[in-house]
Amino acid sequence: MVKIQVKKTQLPIEIGEHTFYIDTSEKGAEAFWKLVSNYATKSAKITEKLEKEMIKPETADRKAHEELEKVMDQLLGDGAFNKLFKLSPDYTLISEYYMEICSAVGEELGGRKKQFFDKMQRYLEG
């Protein structure tokens, strides 16, 4: 009998006493990259408006904070931002968490594809 281990598509992310899960299935990966791209676009627009003095620094900070809250809740689940803010009540630190999460998920997704292609290559070579 051949026993094949079931592979999980949930990547656990532990921050303090909280564990969050990110879907790394093909559909989850697509949603992740779209979320990251949208957040980067919104952040860039806020920065651009600030640089062109179209908005005040306080407004830029408020909008950036709102976008960070949204992206963290979308990424880790509703209420995630508030849990993290209780641990680290500083938007800069939560931004750092976001960057670390993105890096970890990117490595996981890239590593999984590489492993698949390496296995496939060995299989095809016999």
Side-chain angles (χ1 to χ4, degrees):
M1 173 156 110
V2 174
K3 214 173 186 184
I4 298 175
Q5 193 76 359
V6 173
K7 311 259 186 215
K8 305 273 184 193
T9 60
Q10 296 293 316
L11 177 65
I13 303 288
E14 189 175 306
I15 303 172
E17 72 253 14
H18 303 290
T19 302
F20 305 97
Y21 296 89
I22 295 182
D23 180 8
T24 57
S25 67
E26 289 179 18
K27 187 175 180 181
E30 185 178 313
F32 170 78
W33 292 120
K34 184 176 180 182
L35 181 68
V36 168
S37 176
N38 287 341
Y39 178 66
T41 300
K42 288 177 182 179
S43 294
K45 285 181 182 178
I46 293 168
T47 301
E48 182 181 333
K49 286 181 180 181
L50 178 62
E51 288 172 350
K52 291 182 178 181
E53 298 180 356
M54 296 170 67
I55 57 176
K56 295 178 183 178
E58 304 82 39
T59 303
D61 283 348
R62 182 181 47 77
K63 288 181 179 273
H65 292 169
E66 289 171 0
E67 291 305 324
L68 180 61
E69 290 177 28
K70 285 180 197 173
V71 76
M72 291 302 279
D73 280 349
Q74 290 172 332
L75 185 61
L76 302 175
D78 289 338
F81 177 85
N82 288 333
K83 290 177 185 176
L84 295 175
F85 198 77
K86 284 180 184 174
L87 292 175
S88 304
D90 184 298
Y91 282 86
T92 302
L93 294 176
I94 296 174
S95 290
E96 288 178 22
Y97 296 157
Y98 172 78
M99 289 184 282
E100 289 182 45
I101 291 166
C102 289
S103 176
V105 173
E107 285 180 32
E108 173 71 16
L109 294 173
R112 189 180 299 161
K113 277 188 178 180
K114 183 177 178 346
Q115 284 179 345
F116 172 77
F117 287 118
D118 289 348
K119 285 181 182 178
M120 185 60 76
Q121 188 65 37
R122 286 193 301 270
Y123 172 76
L124 292 173
E125 290 172 355

